Amino acid sequence: MISGNIFDVVKGIVYPGTLVIESGRIIDIKKDDKKYDSCIIPGFIDSHVHIESSMLAPSGFARIAVKHGTVAVVSDPHEIANVLGVEGVDYMIENGRSVPFKFYFGAPSCVPATTFETSGAVIDIDDIENLLKRDEIKFLSEVMNYPGVINEDPQITAKLNLAKKYSKMIDGHAPGLTGGELEKYVNAGISTDHEVFTREDAIEKLKLGMKILIREGSAAGNFDILIGLIDEYNNDCMFCSDDIHPGDLLKGHINRMVKKAINYGYDPMKVLKCACVNPVRHYNLDVGLLQKGDYADFLIVDNLNDLHIIKTFINGEVVAEEGRSLIPRTKTKTPNNFHTKKKEVSDFAVKLQGERVNIIEAIDGSLITNRISGIPKVSGGYVLSDTEKDILKLTVVNRYKDAPPSIAFVKNFGLKKGAIASSIAHDSHNIVAVGVSDIEIADAVNLVIKNMGGIAVVCDNERLVLPLPVAGIMTDEDGFEVAESFSNLEELAKGMGSQLNSPFSTLSFMALLVIPSIKLSDKGLFDGERFSFMPLFE
């Protein structure tokens, strides 16, 4: 039996009482008139996350997340699916089952994300149907191909119809979509969006019936812009991280959003509704909400302002206590798909072919980029990185087969020396690198290739790498150690001159073609607004 001030968010009341727990469920709730120092609240749920972005296998992610009061996640496994296909989805489900944590996975709708890049796998309509038939698959993952929805592409339409056939929710991804096109997108059955950049954008989507996922992740966040929505739209908002790196996960998860919102002065019941209740109702999750007969999934906290998590319970089992995870570390399989060979320095040379070059302008803390142009730095007829103007060479290298690297130029990475590289490159997870010289770029890329996946820093005499043997995007090493290693690599990158809050996170999205305005795939420079390739030179 567990006693405290019980926050019944479903009914919107607080009362002192005792939970009677048996076989993982709350079999009775006894109200009393005692005074308690602690509060009992429902466990937190991340309503949209790519576990792979933590660089940890699901079991490793859970070990850290429970410390912060997270009891469940709604996870889109399209990162690993782009590398391994359905085998990758199966790996996530199997590994997630090895720990006492509630993972709810979706059927990836866009693998590959586009036809303008090379991925490691394809999930076709038959695969989608076989996945959606399964009880453990709760939804059709974010539909990023919004032009396909609007133009009624037969493949996309078929996937949407399958989700409806099996009564599964459909997640959205519609940055900047508005007006009649947005209405058509929503009417296709798409129910959520986390790619919301303004309050006006959110309200338009809410009025059309969408749920808005308020995001605070490592790469992008809209929390401060959108949190005010919960006063009026608290039934239609949820909290998510989307992509969260291991160092940030160590610091906190959904609990940070809850605490921040409450400290901003928002009604705690409305905040907890977004963090706990709405995901359960929207996705039909078997996560308890402190009702009689529910699974015993809840937190004991000191108070809602400080939100110090004393204990985390999942199915009546204590999985974290006083900042210490009680989930043991587990070893895991390391499936992978890596078939490219060592690259030569000459592979990264770019001949001058015009007076001006198109440049990707990275924006710190945002997935969106700007398109700019400039006069390149040239030597011997070849275009070089220009550290004075902060215009650096960017490359994406096909990791699934040998092919010439694609090259572009990017502003705002700020490196004054060295190079950084990663096989985390959304969504196809080829190798992406940026640096000040072809020699260092080649060294960094080859470190990743040698380890069949990883994050690398090359600077002066240092050659450092964090290996990622699971699909080239995750590791089975201890999450706390991984977080420390990753943080060290990011600090090295910042020591090389980068002013970005998270250089590797920003780097990983330079190949994400479905977010405008200009990105780089392994096949070339891409215009995300026209959804077509564009020339490097003007």
Side-chain angles (χ1 to χ4, degrees), residues 3 82 128 364 366:
S3 300
N82 271 283
I128 291 290
D364 196 11
S366 176

Side-chain angles (χ1 to χ4, degrees), residues 308-326:
H308 170 68
I309 298 166
I310 300 168
K311 289 183 180 181
T312 303
F313 288 79
I314 298 178
N315 288 355
E317 177 184 350
V318 182
V319 293
E321 185 171 6
E322 292 290 357
R324 182 170 59 95
S325 178
L326 301 182

Side-chain angles (χ1 to χ4, degrees), residues 252-512:
H253 194 203
I254 301 302
N255 62 314
R256 298 179 79 180
M257 301 176 73
V258 172
K259 181 177 178 179
K260 194 173 178 181
I262 291 173
N263 288 337
Y264 278 179
Y266 291 101
D267 182 342
M269 283 297 183
K270 292 179 179 179
V271 175
L272 292 175
K273 188 181 290 185
C274 297
C276 314
V277 176
N278 293 346
V280 172
R281 289 177 167 171
H282 184 73
Y283 292 101
N284 190 30
L285 309 180
D286 54 357
V287 178
L289 294 172
L290 294 176
Q291 306 297 298
K292 187 175 178 179
D294 278 1
Y295 284 103
D297 305 321
F298 59 89
L299 315 176
I300 300 177
V301 301
D302 53 356
N303 60 74
L304 293 193
N305 289 318
D306 297 324
L307 206 65
H308 170 68
I309 298 166
I310 300 168
K311 289 183 180 181
T312 303
F313 288 79
I314 298 178
N315 288 355
E317 177 184 350
V318 182
V319 293
E321 185 171 6
E322 292 290 357
R324 182 170 59 95
S325 178
L326 301 182
I327 295 179
R329 180 184 171 191
T330 59
K331 294 297 288 183
T332 179
K333 299 175 184 176
T334 55
N336 210 337
N337 185 1
F338 226 98
H339 300 289
T340 193
K341 296 178 182 177
K342 181 180 177 181
K343 302 304 171 190
E344 303 298 327
V345 175
S346 59
D347 291 331
F348 301 97
V350 176
K351 286 186 178 181
L352 180 67
Q353 297 178 33
E355 291 185 2
R356 298 181 70 85
V357 63
N358 285 311
I359 299 165
I360 302 169
E361 184 180 42
I363 302 172
D364 196 11
S366 176
L367 309 188
I368 291 176
T369 60
N370 292 327
R371 174 182 174 177
I372 59 175
S373 68
I375 298 172
K377 179 179 180 180
V378 181
S379 177
Y382 289 89
V383 182
L384 308 178
S385 291
D386 188 341
T387 55
E388 289 185 6
K389 295 181 180 178
D390 188 19
I391 298 172
L392 303 179
K393 188 172 286 186
L394 177 75
T395 183
V396 175
V397 179
N398 189 321
R399 62 116 107 176
Y400 301 107
K401 63 181 181 181
D402 275 320
S406 66
I407 310 292
F409 292 86
V410 65
K411 185 174 179 62
N412 287 341
F413 268 84
L415 298 180
K416 300 300 182 185
K417 57 182 179 178
I420 61 176
S422 174
S423 55
I424 299 173
H426 305 285
D427 276 323
S428 291
H429 299 293
N430 289 295
I431 303 167
V432 62
V434 62
V436 304
S437 74
D438 295 352
I439 292 174
E440 290 162 312
I441 290 172
D443 282 352
V445 167
N446 287 330
L447 267 178
V448 174
I449 293 172
K450 180 180 179 181
N451 286 274
M452 297 182 68
I455 294 171
V457 171
V458 169
C459 183
D460 298 329
N461 295 321
E462 290 192 280
R463 303 288 185 274
L464 300 176
V465 64
L466 169 61
L468 298 172
V470 180
I473 54 177
M474 293 181 287
T475 177
D476 62 345
E477 294 298 320
D478 178 75
F480 301 95
E481 295 174 5
V482 173
E484 183 178 358
S485 296
F486 177 70
S487 294
N488 288 341
L489 290 175
E490 288 234 300
E491 287 306 309
L492 276 174
K494 291 177 182 180
M496 291 153 58
S498 180
Q499 299 297 310
L500 295 171
N501 180 57
S502 181
F504 282 105
S505 180
T506 301
L507 181 66
S508 72
F509 288 101
M510 291 301 100
L512 184 57

Side-chain angles (χ1 to χ4, degrees), residues 77 85-95 97 104-108 123 126-140 162 166-168:
V86 174
E87 177 192 350
V89 180
D90 288 336
Y91 166 83
M92 300 295 279
I93 293 170
E94 179 185 348
N95 182 261
R97 286 173 176 162
Y104 300 98
F105 292 104
I123 292 184
D126 289 339
D127 294 326
I128 291 290
E129 180 159 25
N130 288 329
L131 285 168
L132 289 171
K133 285 179 181 178
R134 295 161 62 171
D135 290 339
E136 60 265 43
I137 298 295
K138 292 291 184 181
F139 60 103
L140 183 66
L162 283 171
Y166 292 102
S167 300
K168 302 293 175 76

